[in-house]
Amino acid sequence: MPRFCVNDNAQDNGDHEVHDLSSGTFCLPNPANRVDLGFHADCGSAVAAAGAVLGQVNGCMYCAPACHTS
Ligand SMILES: [Zn+2]
């Protein structure tokens, strides 16, 4: 089960991107900006967990494309 994190630094459009730590590489946020989401079966579950904390979230287009919507 992959482990996810979310960037506590929002993008210009206000989205906080959710990343898969196991498949993300260049796209991962600076370690200081990562909020650990723990292990999730898929990015949908990770995005839901991140949204409960940060509100406006979105899957990373590189490592969580199935959950990338904007
Ligand atoms: Zn990513």
Side-chain angles (χ1 to χ4, degrees):
M1 194 180 292
R3 187 173 191 170
F4 291 84
C5 71
V6 60
N7 192 340
D8 71 359
N9 218 1
Q11 291 187 288
D12 290 344
N13 67 2
D15 283 349
H16 293 272
E17 284 196 319
V18 172
H19 298 267
D20 179 346
L21 287 168
S22 61
S23 67
T25 49
F26 64 93
C27 63
L28 293 177
N30 186 301
N33 294 327
R34 294 179 197 174
V35 178
D36 186 29
L37 295 172
F39 296 90
H40 292 271
D42 54 46
C43 61
S45 169
V47 166
V53 179
L54 293 169
Q56 189 176 336
V57 298
N58 195 14
C60 172
M61 67 184 294
Y62 300 108
C63 65
C67 296
H68 178 73
T69 56
S70 61

